[in-house]
Amino acid sequence: MCKGFTLIEMLIVIIIVALLVSLSVPKYKTAMEKARAQEGITNLTLAADQANGYYMSHEDKGYTGFSSNYGQGADKTKQVYFNTVGISGGGESLTLSIARKTGAYTLGMQLSGGKVSRRTCTGDTRLCDAIGWE
């Protein structure tokens, strides 16, 4: 009687391992993209906080005059996966957006009256759903 595994037993083990890997890789990629998206969400939220602070201190002008230079001393995360925050609008409403460097999606925030009125994610809908930013 020989000690060891037969070829069939080894093949079954390899098939089981391959099946487990094929099931876990998509979940891993989704989790990694969620973690990467946190950089963009953090920078977008910091810009929104600065814009709303500007709005509160300049209520007579609203967001008019707000630029990315306002509050330069504020901390923000390193920009590894995302471009800088884009700003458009003025007056009573402002739109902030930040794009993934790969171009897969863009996160956005609409501000109105010193508050966040809407969050958007445009681009790859699968990634937007995974991030949970609507």
Side-chain angles (χ1 to χ4, degrees):
M1 188 127 160
C2 291
K3 292 183 180 180
F5 297 107
T6 66
L7 183 59
I8 298 295
E9 291 171 330
M10 291 299 289
L11 285 173
I12 290 172
V13 168
I14 290 172
I15 289 171
I16 291 171
V17 168
L19 181 66
L20 291 174
V21 167
S22 69
L23 291 174
S24 63
V25 166
K27 296 284 185 186
Y28 173 75
K29 286 183 178 182
T30 300
M32 289 302 293
E33 190 56 43
K34 260 180 133 170
R36 288 183 191 111
Q38 195 57 46
E39 171 195 318
I41 292 169
T42 300
N43 285 340
L44 201 58
T45 302
L46 288 170
D49 289 345
Q50 290 176 354
N52 287 332
Y54 182 90
Y55 180 89
M56 294 301 175
S57 61
H58 299 90
E59 261 185 71
D60 56 331
K61 293 192 297 181
Y63 293 107
T64 304
F66 176 77
S67 71
S68 58
N69 297 335
Y70 181 80
Q72 281 184 343
D75 292 333
K76 63 180 179 180
T77 60
K78 215 184 231 187
Q79 293 171 326
V80 178
Y81 301 108
F82 285 84
N83 298 317
T84 57
V85 175
I87 301 168
S88 62
E92 288 299 311
S93 65
L94 191 69
T95 302
L96 304 173
S97 62
I98 191 164
R100 181 84 158 80
K101 285 186 178 179
T102 62
Y105 57 90
T106 300
L107 302 174
M109 268 189 183
Q110 292 177 340
L111 310 175
S112 180
K115 297 178 184 174
V116 176
S117 59
R118 187 169 175 221
R119 300 183 327 172
T120 59
C121 181
T122 56
D124 188 338
T125 55
R126 183 186 56 82
L127 290 175
C128 288
D129 291 343
I131 294 164
W133 186 268
E134 302 167 2

